[in-house]
Amino acid sequence: MLVNQSFTRLIIASFVAAALLLSTPAFAAGLQDETKINNGLLAVGIADEIRNRCDSISARTFTALGFLNGLKREARAKGYSNDEINAYTKSNAEKAKMRKRGQAYLAQNGASTSDAASMCRLGRAEIAKRSQIGVLLRAR
Protein backbone atom coordinates (compact mmCIF):
# COMPACT_ATOMS: atom_id res chain seq x y z
CA MET A 1 0.00 0.00 0.00
CA LEU A 2 2.86 2.41 0.84
CA VAL A 3 4.53 1.75 -2.53
CA ASN A 4 1.23 2.39 -4.29
CA GLN A 5 0.74 5.78 -2.54
CA SER A 6 4.32 6.83 -3.30
CA PHE A 7 3.87 5.86 -6.92
CA THR A 8 0.59 7.81 -7.11
CA ARG A 9 2.24 10.91 -5.61
CA LEU A 10 5.10 10.62 -8.09
CA ILE A 11 2.67 10.41 -11.02
CA ILE A 12 0.67 13.42 -9.76
CA ALA A 13 3.87 15.44 -9.21
CA SER A 14 5.01 14.57 -12.74
CA PHE A 15 1.72 15.75 -14.24
CA VAL A 16 1.86 18.99 -12.24
CA ALA A 17 5.46 19.65 -13.36
CA ALA A 18 4.57 18.94 -17.00
CA ALA A 19 1.55 21.24 -16.82
CA LEU A 20 3.68 24.05 -15.38
CA LEU A 21 6.33 23.63 -18.08
CA LEU A 22 3.78 23.54 -20.88
CA SER A 23 2.04 26.65 -19.61
CA THR A 24 5.16 28.82 -19.85
CA PRO A 25 5.47 30.93 -23.00
CA ALA A 26 8.62 29.15 -24.16
CA PHE A 27 6.91 25.77 -24.29
CA ALA A 28 3.36 26.83 -25.15
CA ALA A 29 4.45 28.49 -28.38
CA GLY A 30 8.00 28.27 -29.65
CA LEU A 31 9.97 31.06 -31.21
CA GLN A 32 8.98 29.73 -34.62
CA ASP A 33 5.48 31.03 -33.84
CA GLU A 34 6.64 34.57 -33.02
CA THR A 35 5.77 36.39 -36.26
CA LYS A 36 7.35 39.75 -35.47
CA ILE A 37 10.63 38.18 -34.37
CA ASN A 38 10.77 35.85 -37.37
CA ASN A 39 9.95 38.63 -39.81
CA GLY A 40 12.76 40.66 -38.25
CA LEU A 41 15.21 37.79 -38.61
CA LEU A 42 14.10 37.35 -42.22
CA ALA A 43 14.71 41.05 -42.93
CA VAL A 44 18.23 40.80 -41.50
CA GLY A 45 18.94 37.67 -43.56
CA ILE A 46 17.70 39.26 -46.81
CA ALA A 47 19.64 42.47 -46.13
CA ASP A 48 22.76 40.37 -45.53
CA GLU A 49 22.27 38.52 -48.83
CA ILE A 50 21.80 41.81 -50.68
CA ARG A 51 24.95 43.40 -49.24
CA ASN A 52 26.96 40.23 -49.96
CA ARG A 53 25.80 40.07 -53.59
CA CYS A 54 25.76 43.76 -54.50
CA ASP A 55 29.03 45.71 -54.49
CA SER A 56 27.25 49.08 -54.46
CA ILE A 57 25.32 48.37 -51.24
CA SER A 58 26.73 47.90 -47.75
CA ALA A 59 25.32 47.07 -44.36
CA ARG A 60 24.42 49.56 -41.67
CA THR A 61 26.22 47.35 -39.19
CA PHE A 62 25.40 49.19 -35.98
CA THR A 63 21.77 49.57 -37.04
CA ALA A 64 21.60 45.84 -37.76
CA LEU A 65 23.21 44.93 -34.43
CA GLY A 66 20.81 47.21 -32.57
CA PHE A 67 17.88 45.70 -34.42
CA LEU A 68 19.01 42.14 -33.61
CA ASN A 69 19.50 43.07 -29.95
CA GLY A 70 15.97 44.50 -29.95
CA LEU A 71 14.59 41.22 -31.31
CA LYS A 72 16.46 39.34 -28.60
CA ARG A 73 15.08 41.70 -25.91
CA GLU A 74 11.58 41.15 -27.25
CA ALA A 75 12.02 37.37 -27.14
CA ARG A 76 13.30 37.56 -23.55
CA ALA A 77 10.35 39.80 -22.61
CA LYS A 78 8.05 37.08 -23.96
CA GLY A 79 9.64 34.59 -21.58
CA TYR A 80 12.30 32.93 -23.74
CA SER A 81 15.66 32.24 -22.14
CA ASN A 82 18.99 33.11 -23.76
CA ASP A 83 19.61 29.37 -24.23
CA GLU A 84 16.28 28.96 -26.06
CA ILE A 85 16.97 31.98 -28.25
CA ASN A 86 20.46 30.78 -29.12
CA ALA A 87 19.26 27.24 -29.81
CA TYR A 88 16.55 28.61 -32.11
CA THR A 89 18.84 30.94 -34.06
CA LYS A 90 21.47 28.19 -34.45
CA SER A 91 19.00 25.46 -35.44
CA ASN A 92 19.78 24.07 -38.89
CA ALA A 93 16.11 23.23 -39.42
CA GLU A 94 15.02 26.79 -38.61
CA LYS A 95 17.80 28.24 -40.77
CA ALA A 96 16.58 26.10 -43.68
CA LYS A 97 13.01 27.37 -43.20
CA MET A 98 14.27 30.95 -43.10
CA ARG A 99 16.36 30.43 -46.26
CA LYS A 100 13.28 29.07 -48.02
CA ARG A 101 11.24 32.13 -46.96
CA GLY A 102 14.07 34.40 -48.09
CA GLN A 103 14.31 32.74 -51.50
CA ALA A 104 10.53 33.10 -51.92
CA TYR A 105 10.78 36.81 -51.04
CA LEU A 106 13.58 37.34 -53.53
CA ALA A 107 11.71 35.51 -56.30
CA GLN A 108 8.52 37.43 -55.54
CA ASN A 109 10.49 40.65 -55.94
CA GLY A 110 12.32 39.65 -59.12
CA ALA A 111 15.68 38.97 -57.53
CA SER A 112 17.99 35.98 -57.34
CA THR A 113 21.18 35.39 -55.37
CA SER A 114 22.80 34.25 -58.64
CA ASP A 115 22.05 37.61 -60.30
CA ALA A 116 23.93 40.49 -58.66
CA ALA A 117 22.14 43.15 -60.71
CA SER A 118 18.74 41.93 -59.50
CA MET A 119 19.96 41.95 -55.90
CA CYS A 120 21.19 45.54 -56.34
CA ARG A 121 17.83 46.57 -57.82
CA LEU A 122 16.00 44.98 -54.90
CA GLY A 123 18.38 46.57 -52.40
CA ARG A 124 17.93 50.04 -53.88
CA ALA A 125 14.12 49.55 -53.93
CA GLU A 126 14.12 48.46 -50.28
CA ILE A 127 16.29 51.45 -49.31
CA ALA A 128 14.02 53.83 -51.23
CA LYS A 129 10.85 52.58 -49.56
CA ARG A 130 12.59 52.52 -46.16
CA SER A 131 11.43 48.99 -45.43
CA GLN A 132 12.95 47.05 -42.55
CA ILE A 133 15.34 45.50 -45.06
CA GLY A 134 16.14 48.92 -46.50
CA VAL A 135 17.01 50.59 -43.20
CA LEU A 136 19.63 47.90 -42.64
CA LEU A 137 21.36 48.84 -45.91
CA ARG A 138 23.28 51.80 -47.32
CA ALA A 139 23.83 52.57 -51.00
CA ARG A 140 27.46 53.49 -51.72
Side-chain angles (χ1 to χ4, degrees):
M1 183 74 167
L2 183 58
V3 173
N4 211 5
Q5 287 176 340
S6 295
F7 183 74
T8 302
R9 277 190 235 136
L10 178 63
I11 295 294
I12 290 170
S14 296
F15 279 120
V16 169
L20 288 172
L21 282 175
L22 293 173
S23 67
T24 63
F27 288 94
L31 274 164
Q32 69 273 7
D33 297 325
E34 300 292 344
T35 303
K36 183 177 178 185
I37 292 169
N38 279 287
N39 287 345
L41 291 172
L42 179 64
V44 171
I46 292 170
D48 191 48
E49 282 294 328
I50 290 170
R51 68 127 186 138
N52 283 324
R53 308 273 189 236
C54 180
D55 292 337
S56 63
I57 294 177
S58 62
R60 291 183 181 272
T61 306
F62 292 115
T63 302
L65 290 173
F67 182 68
L68 285 170
N69 283 331
L71 293 175
K72 190 171 186 175
R73 274 192 307 276
E74 185 168 336
R76 282 197 310 256
K78 290 180 176 270
Y80 297 96
S81 70
N82 285 335
D83 288 342
E84 289 167 320
I85 295 165
N86 291 334
Y88 178 72
T89 58
K90 290 178 180 167
S91 163
N92 289 333
E94 294 304 326
K95 285 180 186 179
K97 288 179 194 175
M98 196 64 70
R99 270 192 295 282
K100 187 175 179 180
R101 285 184 63 203
Q103 290 298 326
Y105 184 87
L106 295 177
Q108 186 178 29
N109 288 281
S112 168
T113 55
S114 62
D115 179 7
S118 70
M119 295 296 282
C120 289
R121 276 191 305 276
L122 177 59
R124 284 189 299 275
E126 295 289 342
I127 291 167
K129 68 181 179 181
R130 296 183 179 164
S131 69
Q132 185 57 66
I133 295 167
V135 300
L136 300 172
L137 299 170
R138 173 184 294 123
R140 295 189 234 178

